[in-house]
Structure formats: structure tokens, C-alpha cells
Amino acid sequence: MLRVVGLLGLLLPGLAALEPLSVGLAIGVASALTGYLSHPRFYCSYVECCPSASRRLNATALKSQLDTKLFGQHLAKEVVLKAVMGFSNNPSPKKPLMLSLHGWAGTGKNFLSQILAEHIHPAGLRSKFVHLFLATLHFPHHDQVKTYKEQLQNWIRGNVSACPHSVFIFDEMDKMHPGLIDAIKPFLDYYEQVDGVSYRKAIFIFLSNAGGDLINKAALDFWASGKRREEIQLKDLEPMLSVGVFNNKNSGLWHSSLIDRNLIDYFVPFLPLEHKHVKMCVRAEMIARGYAVDENIVQAVADEMTFFPKEQKIYSDKGCKTVQAKLDIHEDIVMRDTKAKG
């Protein structure tokens, strides 16, 4: 309505000289134009809008991206895909979706959370509806935990009020001060509303290195017994993982009410990456940079990584985390080969 008034204000000097029919026509045109400009479909093509309640995620597109970009994580892909799609397709969830991703650095936790964010909000981490918290950056001081709790609650409350489908990602959970994350418990519980706000459509994701040693040991035990890593199931790791981080003072979830009250829907284990998975990461990075894939370079980069255990050298101790930096060393050779093949 304010836009209509503003538009009429521009037209009024000329309207005085027109006949009543012309004036009526001008007002009608102005009203129609304003209605069109304010229509959600038009407006949201230029400004980011919160997704409507009827919007559903594209399961095929999400699965395809996970299959082609996330390597060596059959468990994480399966669990997260089913959890997110089930949540998205439920018109009346009883609580927000809460995922806790665990594993050593470089195994794909951040990468998966970014892919999820982009499928829920196309702008991904740049979206005003996706909120990333880094423990060491946003909550650095132990003596300010009480203040952080209040700030965190206010931030979540305000943003979910603006967009029920908000996504909150907490990275470096293993560096979070004990008890701090319990501040979000009221928002994760089975309440229809908290102070007039419903949090049931929001998604919360924890990223943590805590529990990585437990996951690695289990994977190594499977390998030692002659089993394939793909045979590892969620039931083999999740109970051990939830108990492990609950009793770990450096997990950010030590004796947390979120675990005690079963508010974390899934503890998602990220397995240590083998030599073949590191090579997949190298190939993907070369393609992303527009280079031709040279298997000699792929092998050279993989060989520069360090693996454990010391004798068997099965798993990369940094996952794929340093692949980009390692590839930079071979940049000149890769560019020369790409130009030659082009």
C-alpha cells in the first residue's frame, strides 16, 4: 500500500488535469503494477526469501552431488540423505532436525554441511538463513560463557522468527566450552512453540573431531578382520560414539542434556580415508580447477600425504584436508599438461 501511495504521489500533478475516467484508469494501473512487483515470485527472484512451507528438497540432485563429491563416506551419505529428506518431506515435524557429524579433519564433515546448506538455501553459506558458528572465533573466552549463552539464544530466536527453515552449523564443537551448547536445548526439544516461536522446521548441525579416534579404531578393526569398510553400519558406531562424546570433557557435549534427553537425532560417523579416496579428492580438485587429470600428478600428490598406522599405512591422517595445498606445488606441471592436451 505504501508503494501505491508513493506512486500516486508522483502521478498526482498530472492527474488533476485528467478526466475522472483517466484518473481511475491511472490508479488501476498503479495498483496492478504494485501488486505485480510485490508478488513473492517476482520479489524473490531478486531478493533471497525464506523457502515456503510447501517447498521440498530434490532428493535426486542431493544424492547425485553427494555421490560425486563426497568420497569414502557411505555411512554419512546414507544416513544424512535419509534424515534430511525425511525431515523435509514431513509437513509437521515434532522437533528440529539435529545432526552431529564426527570424524578426523579432512574426512568431509564441513563439505557435507556446505552441500546440505546449498540444497536448502541456494546461496549456501552466503545465505542470510544459514548461520555458521566457529567455537574459537565466536565463543573464545571461558569466563564469558553466560553471556555467550544469552547471545546464542537471542540469535537463534531472532533468525528462526524471520525464517522457520533456518540452518545453524556449529563447527569446532570439540573446542566448545562445556555446558555452552546446552543453551540451545529449549529450541531442540519437543515443544510446539517457545515464547511464541516454533523451531520445528529448523536444522542444527554439529561438526566435531571428537570421537574420531573411536571411529578410526573401529574401522581398523573391520580391516584387520578382513571385512570391507562398506560393511560398517551405523549401529556398529553410533552407540559407541554417543557414549564416547558424552563422557569426553573435550567434546563440547560432555554430560550434555542434548544427549541425556536424546535430542540429537543422529551421530554421524565419518570414516578415515584410504589412499584411493585421497586420489579421488585429487582428481576432483584438478577438475574443479579446469585441469586435465594427469594420473602421474594424482599419484604424486597422494604419495606426499602421510598415512597410519605406521606399519600398514592404510588411512590418511589428514584425510583430504591438504590436497589443495599439495596440488599447488604441482601447479606448473598441471597447467603445462592441460595446455598441451588442449
Side-chain angles (χ1 to χ4, degrees):
M1 181 59 69
L2 289 175
R3 292 177 181 173
V4 176
V5 172
L7 185 57
L8 289 178
L10 295 175
L11 295 175
L12 281 176
L15 291 179
L18 297 177
E19 297 178 357
L21 181 60
S22 300
V23 174
L25 180 60
I27 293 175
V29 170
S31 298
L33 180 60
T34 301
Y36 177 75
L37 292 175
S38 61
H39 191 279
R41 183 174 298 178
F42 179 87
Y43 180 76
C44 295
S45 63
Y46 293 95
V47 177
E48 185 184 17
C49 295
C50 183
S52 65
S54 61
R55 182 175 177 268
R56 296 290 181 266
L57 296 184
N58 186 329
T60 302
L62 178 56
K63 183 179 185 304
S64 176
Q65 195 165 15
L66 291 175
D67 286 341
T68 56
K69 294 187 176 182
L70 186 66
F71 307 119
Q73 303 299 350
H74 72 283
L75 268 181
K77 288 193 288 189
E78 178 184 354
V79 173
V80 171
L81 183 64
K82 289 182 178 179
V84 172
M85 293 312 305
F87 181 75
S88 172
N89 293 328
N90 185 352
S92 301
K94 300 301 181 183
K95 65 179 290 296
L97 179 62
M98 174 70 256
L99 304 174
S100 192
L101 315 185
H102 297 264
W104 272 15
T107 51
K109 303 183 300 295
N110 288 82
F111 195 40
L112 186 146
S113 66
Q114 291 174 25
I115 291 174
L116 279 183
E118 290 169 1
H119 278 266
I120 299 169
H121 301 286
L125 295 181
R126 300 188 311 276
S127 170
K128 61 184 178 182
F129 306 124
V130 176
H131 312 278
L132 175 64
F133 298 94
L134 303 176
T136 54
L137 176 64
H138 296 104
F139 316 111
H141 305 296
H142 184 271
D143 58 354
Q144 295 185 27
V145 167
K146 183 178 180 181
T147 300
Y148 294 150
K149 285 184 176 183
E150 294 175 356
Q151 292 175 340
L152 188 55
Q153 288 183 339
N154 290 335
W155 182 260
I156 293 174
R157 183 183 299 110
N159 283 284
V160 174
S161 298
C163 179
H165 298 275
S166 292
V167 176
F168 301 92
I169 302 172
F170 294 83
D171 198 1
E172 303 178 327
M173 274 297 298
D174 48 299
K175 296 178 178 62
M176 188 81 74
H177 301 298
L180 173 55
I181 200 62
D182 282 1
I184 71 173
K185 177 193 169 294
F187 310 133
L188 296 179
D189 218 327
Y190 291 82
Y191 299 126
E192 186 172 351
Q193 289 188 346
V194 178
D195 293 334
V197 179
S198 174
Y199 297 86
R200 293 181 169 186
K201 297 292 182 69
I203 295 178
F204 293 79
I205 303 173
F206 293 163
L207 310 179
S208 178
N209 291 346
D213 291 342
L214 298 174
I215 297 169
N216 293 351
K217 183 181 183 304
L220 190 59
D221 288 344
F222 261 76
W223 176 85
S225 63
K227 297 179 181 179
R228 298 167 57 249
R229 67 187 282 127
E230 289 77 16
E231 295 180 52
I232 302 176
Q233 301 179 44
L234 185 64
K235 65 181 181 180
D236 297 320
L237 298 177
E238 189 175 34
M240 168 190 67
L241 191 54
S242 63
V243 173
V245 297
F246 183 78
N247 292 317
N248 184 347
K249 291 185 177 181
N250 297 314
S251 70
L253 291 167
W254 180 58
H255 290 182
S256 172
S257 61
L258 304 186
I259 298 178
D260 197 39
R261 293 293 301 274
N262 298 310
L263 297 179
I264 297 178
D265 297 298
Y266 294 97
F267 289 88
V268 184
F270 279 69
L271 303 175
L273 299 181
E274 299 174 9
H275 198 275
K276 63 181 180 182
H277 302 126
V278 172
K279 293 172 74 172
M280 291 178 183
C281 291
V282 179
R283 295 188 190 101
E285 180 62 21
M286 294 179 75
I287 293 172
R289 296 187 186 191
Y291 300 151
V293 175
D294 184 330
E295 288 301 325
N296 292 324
I297 299 297
V298 172
Q299 186 65 48
V301 172
D303 288 344
E304 291 174 8
M305 308 289 280
T306 53
F307 293 80
F308 72 95
K310 187 175 181 179
E311 296 78 18
Q312 297 91 344
K313 299 185 184 303
I314 305 168
Y315 304 118
S316 169
D317 61 5
K318 295 184 181 65
C320 286
K321 196 174 186 69
T322 58
V323 162
Q324 291 185 351
K326 298 288 186 185
L327 188 57
D328 289 342
I329 300 175
H330 302 274
E331 189 94 26
D332 292 342
I333 298 175
V334 175
M335 291 181 66
R336 184 190 63 201
D337 291 347
T338 299
K339 289 179 180 179
K341 293 179 180 180

